[in-house]
Every structure is written in C-alpha cells, then in structure tokens.
Amino acid sequence: MGKIVKRFMVFAVSLALVLSFTTNFDMTVMAASTPSSITLNKKNVTMTEGSKVTLKVKSVKPKAASKKVTWKSSNKIVATVSSKGVVTAKKAGTATITAKAAKGKAASKCKIKVNKASKGKVLVAYFSATGTTEGVAKKVAKASGGKLYEIVPQKAYTSTDLNYNNDNCRANKEMENENARPAIKGSVKNMASYDVIYIGFPIWWETAPRIIDTFVESYDFSGKTIIPFCTSGSSGISTASSDLKKLCNGDPAWKKGRRFEGSASQSTVNKWVDGLRLK
C-alpha cells in the first residue's frame, strides 16, 4: 500500500510540473504574439494626386510578436489606405495613416502630404549605347510632353566593349555579374519634382543593361509612377521589367512596359502613351 501511495505522489508531482511548464509556455507564447511597439518602413511621404505608395510594418517588439495590423486614414478625402497598406493619394492636402496592431494597443503613424497633380512633370530617362533607344526615347518625350534625360556612362562604351561575340567584352562581363553597377556621369536635377518617369533601354542578355540598375538604385521613387520601355528586335521586356521593379527604391507604382523596334513610328509611340491614360 505504501508503494502505491509513493507512486501516486510521484505521478502527481510530475503532472503538476508538466502543467506548470505548459501553462507558463502558453503564457509566454501568448505574450510574445502581442507587440509592444510597431515601426513602419516610412514616417513621412510626399505624394502627387493619383499616385500610390505601399506602407509596410518594418519591425515589431518583441521580435516574435505578430506583424498583423489594421490600417486607417485620418482624412480619406486626401488619402485612402487599403487593408494591405497601399496608400492612394486622392486630393492635395495632408493626412495621417495609422497602423494599429491586431492585438494590443501598439500603433505607428506615417504623415502623408499630397501635392496637386500638374501637367509636365514627366521625365523620360534613357540609356542608348548605339543610338537606337535614343530615337524611341525622343518620340516618347514628344508623346508624353516629358523632359528628356540621357543616362550617360562615366566611361563610354566603345564598339569593342559592345562586341557580344567576344565573351570577354565589357558588356558581356557586366551582364555576367549581377552586382555590376557601371557609374553614371551626372544625375537628374530635382528628381522629386517629377511624378511620372519613363525609363528606356536596349535589351542585353534578355534584361536591362547594368547601368539601368545603377540608375534605379540611385533615387527614391516614392509616390511616383515608373514606366519602362525597351528597344529590341525580338526579346520582350517582361524579364527586364521584373528585375528592375525589385531594385527600384521607394515602391513606386509600376506600369506595364513596352518593347519597340528601333524603327517604331511616332504614331505607334503616341498610341502607347495615350493608352496609359496618365494625363
């Protein structure tokens, strides 16, 4: 009888310890799921009527806490926000976007300033190694009313650099290295003043030349609309567009790009630009 009592007592103590550990563990997990603070990826954003920008939860404390939040705009007439943090600029003015934790009281805010949309704030930036893309870029500028800007390499490309039949030519070596970033001579003045930016380039190795990577990583495109276009005999723009979108700073609105042959007419370019309905 004594042995049975002892065994029961050992079992009871063990059970109590397991329950205690489980309860404490559950409480710890529950506590960790409720954030004490939230940080957004942006605190202030300047936008233009009609533009969009995506806000995201950059971090939470503690790290194990949930990043789920609800979004709210203080002024829906000026800016609205979706359940996924996509802010749409509606009208000139100011608004505050608040991200509140789904659990607990933690919250973070981003101040939004929306400027009135005005015509003429269009930039047509292009890189043209042989002059083909330049011809199309000029037609895009004429169709859109945008300002033309040439992306000029610090070190010009020679015919030897562009000899694609030579595996060791400069162009091939750059495209071989995903981290290659050829330097650009000069920069865009007052990039913040442009709302819409066309980016033109030839297709190299099924994507954009590395110097275009340099360009898109050099500026903050928050609140802007980016529209890529390329020149190529047959290769499409989809791969280049996807690659550049991943590198682009500021999470701008991204329009579907277009491939042109070097001989594209002005009317063809006009039809494409008008179809974007940006005016």
Side-chain angles (χ1 to χ4, degrees):
M1 190 73 175
K3 290 183 178 180
I4 295 176
V5 173
K6 287 182 180 180
R7 288 177 181 176
F8 177 79
M9 290 180 66
V10 170
F11 172 78
V13 171
S14 299
L15 180 61
L17 289 172
V18 169
L19 291 174
S20 176
F21 173 80
T22 302
T23 302
N24 290 335
F25 177 78
D26 288 343
M27 289 178 66
T28 300
V29 171
M30 289 178 65
S33 68
T34 304
S36 58
S37 67
I38 298 172
T39 301
L40 294 178
N41 60 330
K42 298 179 185 295
K43 292 183 178 180
N44 298 278
V45 177
T46 298
M47 305 175 68
T48 302
E49 291 175 334
S51 65
K52 295 184 179 183
V53 67
T54 300
L55 298 180
K56 299 178 181 179
V57 176
K58 183 178 180 181
S59 63
V60 294
K61 289 184 180 180
K63 290 184 178 180
S66 170
K67 287 188 176 182
K68 291 184 178 180
V69 297
T70 56
W71 299 91
K72 183 179 180 180
S73 171
S74 66
N75 192 339
K76 293 182 180 179
I77 294 176
V78 172
T80 59
V81 61
S82 73
S83 60
K84 294 185 178 180
V86 179
V87 179
T88 302
K90 294 292 188 178
K91 187 177 180 181
T94 58
T96 299
I97 302 299
T98 301
K100 184 180 180 301
K103 292 183 178 181
K105 298 181 179 180
S108 185
K109 298 182 178 182
C110 176
K111 294 182 179 179
I112 303 293
K113 179 181 179 182
V114 178
N115 292 326
K116 189 174 181 61
S118 58
K119 294 181 180 180
K121 290 192 174 183
V122 176
L123 181 71
V124 180
Y126 71 94
F127 165 67
S128 186
T130 63
T132 302
T133 304
E134 180 177 36
V136 175
K138 288 180 177 179
K139 292 170 184 174
V140 173
K142 184 176 181 180
S144 64
K147 182 178 180 180
L148 203 61
Y149 173 78
E150 183 179 5
I151 299 171
V152 180
Q154 189 73 49
K155 180 184 177 183
Y157 289 89
T158 65
S159 57
T160 301
D161 293 333
L162 301 173
N163 181 12
Y164 306 112
N165 293 320
N166 179 1
D167 292 340
N168 293 314
C169 79
R170 177 185 170 188
N172 283 338
K173 284 294 184 181
E174 288 178 354
M175 298 311 294
E176 228 174 26
N177 180 7
E178 292 185 359
N179 297 316
R181 295 293 183 271
I184 295 174
K185 186 177 181 180
S187 61
V188 178
K189 294 181 179 179
N190 300 318
M191 176 62 89
S193 67
Y194 295 102
D195 305 316
V196 176
I197 302 170
Y198 291 84
I199 303 177
F201 47 86
I203 292 293
W204 289 5
W205 281 33
E206 305 298 325
T207 189
R210 299 299 180 207
I211 195 168
I212 299 298
D213 295 351
T214 305
F215 180 79
V216 299
E217 289 179 343
S218 297
Y219 303 94
D220 182 357
F221 296 106
S222 297
K224 303 183 186 301
T225 297
I226 304 293
I227 311 161
F229 66 94
C230 73
T231 54
S232 169
S234 59
S235 299
I237 196 173
S238 58
T239 298
S241 182
S242 177
D243 290 344
L244 293 175
K245 187 176 182 181
K246 294 175 184 176
L247 299 175
C248 208
N249 294 312
D251 193 26
W254 196 271
K255 291 286 186 178
K256 184 178 180 180
R258 167 73 187 264
R259 178 190 73 83
F260 292 98
E261 293 187 356
S263 59
S265 66
Q266 185 66 61
S267 61
T268 297
V269 175
N270 288 350
K271 185 177 180 180
W272 174 62
V273 172
D274 290 343
L276 294 170
R277 298 180 180 179
L278 297 173
K279 296 181 180 180

